[in-house]
Amino acid sequence: MAVIFDPLRGRVRPEASHPDAEIIDMLTKTYSDAEWAVLTGAGMSTDSGVPDYRGPDSPPRKPMTIQTFLSHPDQRARYWARSWMGWPRMRGTRPNQAHLALAELSVAGIITQNVDGLHQAAAEAVAADRGNDAGAPAPSPVIDLHGSLDRVICLSNGHLFDRDWVQRRLSELNPDFAEEVGIDPIDVETAPDGDVELEDTAGFAVLDCPECGGLLKPDVVYFGDSVPAARVQAANRIADEAAGLVVLGSSLAVLSGLRFVRTAAKESKPVVIVTDGPTRGDEFADFRSISRVADFVTAWASR
């Protein structure tokens, strides 16, 4: 397992540039909601029980890289055992107030680095609350920049499978595994990408693609992997057409998110960053809040 270098090492949390009320005034009075692209990170989902990699209380983690996953059958068994153990808890997460408040806003689009599907779940919850209101705005488009854990993809031919179906098949192949390792899947803590810390994975049977026998992996971008070009293009369209960018709960430690901030700054578009820790893009922020994301977005939505 690779140790992932922390690009935030040595950075400290900046001071807030303005009071939240002034930032929200700018968001709502200078521009309309529909003129803002929103980039979200792990800080959006911590209140839902999904930990982040770089928060102040986060333990050191060693996420699997795509190179390690492809290197040997034992590594794939290791990943799938940990993922199989973590899926029940990840599947049970629900949108928190930050997701729900953002879903109330009709922004140009949401580009998320998260793989938990909670933005879509929040949009469904808000739509259900609105009922048959013909005047209700359409949900903001969501781009899952790093993929989604509820899908599994065949690396040979691109076949897609529902994660719950794969979970059932893995359970059938490994009926006694949880008992053998002495862990209850409901009680374990998951990592941000849905797996759990589990050392003893020997003997875990991995499922191959039922269509062609190819390797299966969750349809997410691993460390060391690339975001699919079509997904990048869809995210770029949202960012290019927006008047400005709001970053919520992301440390911007990975380039796939940071580049949206750099591009907006280069084009002299306003950049708002809201998170309670340091980020890799603080020098590009025109407006910087260090409030909790849920508090900020709730105040924004209330305007």
Side-chain angles (χ1 to χ4, degrees), residues 76-77 80-81 84 169-175 177 201-208:
R76 291 189 286 279
W80 273 113
W84 174 80
R169 291 290 293 117
L170 288 172
S171 297
E172 292 168 359
L173 291 171
N174 301 275
F177 184 78
T201 59
F204 189 85
V206 173
L207 178 69
D208 292 327

Side-chain angles (χ1 to χ4, degrees), residues 192-203:
D193 51 5
D195 61 350
V196 303
E197 291 295 330
L198 182 64
E199 294 303 321
D200 185 8
T201 59

